[in-house]
């Protein structure tokens, strides 16, 4: 079965057919809009406390009221600085991680790398896959695209703990549904398309 022209024309990832099944490559920088949005928010979180601290610095060590003001401003600034670090790390992760997914009749497994270094590997056997589920992952959405971005998950028959991501940052429902049908065909799954669900991961 040839690879869908919709996937070939619109996807930012690549799909290769092998004698065993499919290999999909999701490269770095595939979601620049989402990464830039998180990076901008991280910058704002750092800028606000920086402006507040700049207003009270420098402080004379003998001035008790100034020291108290600095302590209060610093206490309020700490959560913003922590949020800045968290959002900056998430933005960097979104921009720098790559995912390779292998699908064949025996199951699915993926390997994730960050800055080219191995990060994580997960697998699921075909007999444990209940369906390929479409999820709208909030971390892949951004203000620069009018279409939602989907994550495709091989859902474990015994619960979400065993789920395995088989595609991510797939733009638009048409492309996500087409890819889900392709994967289900390789896995030999015959079930109706699952409606997309929200996912906050």
């Amino acid at each position: 079965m040839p690879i869908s022209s919709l996937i070939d024309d619109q996807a930012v990832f690549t799909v290769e057919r092998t004698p065993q099944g499919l290999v999909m490559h999701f490269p770095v920088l595939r979601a620049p809009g989402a990464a830039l949005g998180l990076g901008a928010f991280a910058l704002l979180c750092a800028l606000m406390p920086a402006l507040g601290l700049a207003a009270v610095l420098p402080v004379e060590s003998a001035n008790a009221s100034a020291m108290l003001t600095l302590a209060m401003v610093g206490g309020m600034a700490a959560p913003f600085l922590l949020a800045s670090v968290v959002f900056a790390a998430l933005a960097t992760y979104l921009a720098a991680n790559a995912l390779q997914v292998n699908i064949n009749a025996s199951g699915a497994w993926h390997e994730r790398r960050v800055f080219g270094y191995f990060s994580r590997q997960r697998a699921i056997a075909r007999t444990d896959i209940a369906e390929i589920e479409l999820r709208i992952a909030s971390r892949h959405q951004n203000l620069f695209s009018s279409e939602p971005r989907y994550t495709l998950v091989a859902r474990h028959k015994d619960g979400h703990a065993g789920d395995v991501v088989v595609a991510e940052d797939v733009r638009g429902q048409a492309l996500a549904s087409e890819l889900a049908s392709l994967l289900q065909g390789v896995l030999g799954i015959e079930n109706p398309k699952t409606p997309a669900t929200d996912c906050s991961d």
Side-chain angles (χ1 to χ4, degrees), residues 4 37 43 55 65 81 94 99 102 104 106 118 126 154 167 170 178:
S4 164
L43 184 61
S65 62
L81 293 174
L94 280 180
L99 183 70
N102 293 267
N104 59 39
S106 64
F118 175 79
R126 166 62 190 90
V170 181
E178 189 76 19

Side-chain angles (χ1 to χ4, degrees), residues 44-190:
L44 281 174
C45 286
L47 183 61
M48 289 187 290
L51 292 175
L53 289 171
V56 297
L57 292 175
V59 177
E60 296 180 8
S61 59
N63 191 330
S65 62
M67 292 294 292
L68 180 60
T69 301
L70 178 61
M72 293 178 63
V73 172
M76 290 186 292
F80 287 95
L81 293 174
L82 178 61
S84 176
V85 172
V86 171
F87 282 109
L90 184 55
T92 302
Y93 173 79
L94 280 180
N97 86 91
L99 183 70
Q100 178 176 308
V101 180
N102 293 267
I103 304 283
N104 59 39
S106 64
W109 64 98
H110 74 222
E111 178 181 286
R112 192 179 296 277
R113 292 180 176 272
V114 180
F115 290 111
Y117 295 99
F118 175 79
S119 172
R120 187 175 66 173
Q121 186 176 49
R122 294 201 64 185
I124 184 170
R126 166 62 190 90
T127 53
D128 292 329
I129 300 175
E131 63 179 341
I132 300 297
E133 183 178 61
L134 277 63
R135 298 180 184 173
I136 299 177
S138 60
R139 68 179 180 180
H140 293 297
Q141 313 309 312
N142 66 82
L143 298 175
F144 307 103
S145 175
S146 59
E147 291 183 300
R149 294 174 182 258
Y150 292 84
T151 295
L152 275 62
V153 177
R155 194 165 64 81
H156 198 284
K157 63 181 182 181
D158 294 331
H160 290 296
D163 292 352
V164 172
V165 172
V166 292
E168 64 183 13
D169 197 51
V170 181
R171 190 173 66 184
Q173 186 171 6
L175 180 58
S177 297
E178 189 76 19
L179 183 58
S181 296
L182 178 65
L183 300 184
Q184 289 175 169
V186 174
L187 291 165
I189 298 174
E190 295 183 5

